[in-house]
Amino acid sequence: MLLISPSPPLVAIIGGGPAGLMAAEVISQRGLPVHVYDAMPTLGRKFLLAGKGGLNLTHSEPLEQFLTRYGDRRPQIEPLLQAFSPQELRDWALGLGIETFVGSSGRVFPMEMKAAPLLRAWLRRLRAAGVVFHVRHRWLGWTADGALRFMTPEGETAVSPAATILALGGGSWPRLGSDGAWVPLLQARGIGVAPLKPANCGFDVGWSDYFRQKFAGEPVKTAVLRFADFARQGEFVITETGVEGSLIYAVSARLREEIAANGRATFRLDLLPDKTEAQVAESLAKPRGSRSLSSHLQSRLGLKGVKVGLLRELVPAADFADPTRLAEAIKGLSVTVVGTRPLAEAISSAGGVLWAGLDEGLMVTAVPGLFCAGEMLDWEAPTGGYLLTGCFASGKAAGEGVVKWVEETLS
Ligand SMILES: Cc1cc2nc3c(=O)[nH]c(=O)nc-3n(C[C@H](O)[C@H](O)[C@H](O)COP(=O)(O)OP(=O)(O)OC[C@H]3O[C@@H](n4cnc5c(N)ncnc54)[C@H](O)[C@@H]3O)c2cc1C
């Protein structure tokens, strides 16, 4: 039986992650009644998981550089960050009693490197401001007359608020609540959605059994990865099927698009960034006497472990006998990736609700009173605090959008 809520809230927000909670804050601050619904038994689960990695809240680089991180979506994200900048995000956290610091890479973290204290303080403040939370409420779509359908432990209910914000997240780590099940629901309503794709994800290479068994889980420390105009020094990890980690995430959007276009993508690794190719070739050409090539590589160049494993895995055996060819491989080892890891394993999602169907307050123009915010919008960014900053800022924009819309249409 469908229970109809007798006193619907003025504003319903579905999704209690950073974007939905920020929207709830803005709306409650203007004195409007707002209820937040979430499928999970507790709120902000992905935010808490981000806290396990230290909670990289935002980045301290100048705004102009910060905005470049959103790539093609800069025009859409820029107004959101002009209204809620990375510095304002840090000030906001401080308002909750959470001091932040700038790490050596320019990334910004809470002093405690955790999400839980921030989330606890925030939920306390939202409750005090009158925000009502409904957990274990899974949104199922709309009834024929446009009410929101929820599955709850007591059965299905329907709610008809004046305005709704969807802040349902992307499709990564679905066990934390954001499973992308909203995509067909919005499409059925005529709302344009670009398919969700893995972003900041790992890739499959297809290692030999020997390499996989010996090196899966090993970090490759300090290599330079080059792909098209991308070149960066960093670290990554060998996985059972391929590669993942911060250096791979940074180039993941480009690799993903190359694979989509050509079925594979080949990047180059410089395994000895501090030496020139000529220096490497010269060292390799020195007589090695009775020493094995492995101990020659280690004693002359400091190359060992997983880096030598990568060379053995990917360089033709004949090239090992030729110092020039081997030096070329050490300075530009070709690694071919043939697929992304599944969306469920990715840090974030690309794709989502198309900006063309939204106004500047993030309202779906075809469905007046329906707004969207957070990772479910069609944008992506690398790790570095850009994801959370974008989610908070879009939550604020949608909250402001609702307030304006309610004032204009209902008063
Ligand atoms: C391992 C990991 C580490 C990360 N670390 C960082 C980091 O350090 N810095 C950073 O910037 N970003 C990080 N991110 C990304 C960041 O956590 C997300 O981009 C951000 O949480 C998205 O916020 P959101 O509010 O849009 O969605 P979410 O946080 O995903 O919240 C969406 C909410 O909607 C609810 N929901 C979904 N569908 C329904 C439904 N049908 N009915 C009811 N409720 C529903 C979910 O339960 C969830 O609570 C990390 C992500 C992962 C996976």
Side-chain angles (χ1 to χ4, degrees):
M1 195 184 67
L2 184 68
L3 298 170
I4 310 289
S5 171
S7 53
L10 183 71
V11 183
I13 297 176
I14 313 178
L21 295 179
M22 186 53 87
E25 177 147 284
V26 169
I27 295 164
S28 63
Q29 277 169 351
R30 306 295 175 86
L32 299 180
V34 52
H35 289 211
V36 175
Y37 300 83
D38 201 288
M40 301 302 280
T42 55
L43 301 162
R45 290 201 169 190
K46 194 176 277 182
F47 186 60
L48 288 173
L49 180 74
K52 293 241 158 76
L55 194 69
N56 182 193
L57 211 46
T58 188
H59 202 288
S60 61
E61 67 195 4
L63 188 60
E64 181 53 33
Q65 204 176 335
F66 196 106
L67 289 166
T68 64
R69 311 299 178 183
Y70 298 92
D72 292 349
R73 296 294 178 274
R74 176 180 173 158
Q76 289 81 19
I77 300 287
E78 184 163 352
L80 311 181
L81 295 191
Q82 295 290 0
F84 192 60
S85 67
Q87 183 56 49
E88 282 169 294
L89 175 55
R90 293 183 69 183
D91 296 343
W92 168 85
L94 189 59
L96 284 167
I98 306 296
E99 274 190 61
T100 54
F101 73 97
V102 180
S104 53
S105 57
R107 296 177 180 217
V108 174
F109 301 90
M111 286 300 215
E112 287 187 75
M113 304 282 285
K114 285 187 206 151
L118 190 155
L119 185 62
R120 256 197 317 271
W122 194 12
L123 290 175
R124 210 179 306 123
R125 188 163 82 184
L126 290 172
R127 282 199 184 90
V131 177
V132 179
F133 294 101
H134 305 268
V135 293
R136 294 190 168 92
H137 276 58
R138 172 165 294 281
W139 179 61
L140 302 175
W142 290 272
T143 63
D145 53 4
L148 301 168
R149 291 173 56 207
F150 290 99
M151 183 51 76
T152 78
E154 285 74 43
E156 197 176 319
T157 65
V159 178
S160 296
T164 300
I165 298 180
L166 300 177
L168 300 164
S172 75
W173 289 68
R175 66 178 180 278
L176 302 177
S178 328
D179 57 9
W182 52 267
V183 172
L185 301 175
L186 269 62
Q187 285 171 332
R189 194 92 199 254
I191 300 168
V193 181
L196 297 183
K197 293 185 276 191
N200 297 302
C201 57
F203 289 85
D204 290 333
V205 175
W207 303 122
S208 66
D209 285 347
Y210 172 79
F211 183 80
R212 180 171 47 79
Q213 281 157 16
K214 199 155 172 13
F215 295 110
E218 287 274 328
V220 179
K221 292 212 172 154
T222 335
V224 170
L225 189 156
R226 293 195 173 83
F227 179 70
D229 61 344
F230 177 95
R232 190 170 304 172
Q233 185 159 323
E235 298 178 8
F236 65 96
V237 177
I238 303 296
T239 64
E240 291 281 327
T241 62
V243 288
E244 69 173 20
S246 56
L247 186 57
I248 300 297
Y249 298 157
V251 71
S252 60
R254 293 168 206 231
L255 295 178
R256 183 192 66 219
E257 295 311 316
E258 176 73 11
I259 292 170
N262 297 316
R264 51 183 45 227
T266 300
F267 59 81
R268 287 184 188 276
L269 283 179
D270 179 350
L271 298 173
L272 284 177
D274 296 338
K275 290 194 163 44
T276 64
E277 195 173 312
Q279 286 169 331
V280 175
E282 196 187 313
S283 298
L284 289 173
K286 294 214 163 96
R288 67 178 156 106
S290 59
R291 271 191 314 204
S292 70
L293 181 59
S294 293
S295 56
H296 192 58
L297 284 170
Q298 179 163 358
S299 63
R300 290 279 176 207
L301 293 166
L303 268 183
K304 57 183 175 158
V306 65
K307 283 189 175 176
V308 174
L310 275 168
L311 291 168
R312 295 265 181 217
E313 176 78 358
L314 298 171
V315 177
D319 290 0
F320 274 81
D322 179 338
T324 311
R325 304 265 284 272
L326 187 54
E328 258 171 45
I330 290 169
K331 291 296 290 177
L333 181 66
S334 293
V335 182
T336 298
V337 289
V338 293
T340 58
R341 294 302 300 157
L343 175 57
E345 292 176 19
I347 297 285
S348 59
S349 305
V353 176
L354 298 178
W355 295 89
L358 303 172
D359 70 11
E360 72 280 4
L362 303 185
M363 185 170 82
V364 178
T365 40
V367 188
L370 179 68
F371 296 72
C372 298
E375 201 181 308
M376 69 181 293
L377 300 174
D378 179 24
W379 60 285
E380 66 178 308
T383 56
Y386 309 105
L387 295 164
L388 282 173
T389 306
C391 290
F392 282 118
S394 66
K396 183 155 194 291
E400 306 276 9
V402 162
V403 171
K404 188 161 171 269
W405 186 79
V406 165
E407 283 171 0
E408 283 172 7
T409 55
L410 303 183
S411 58

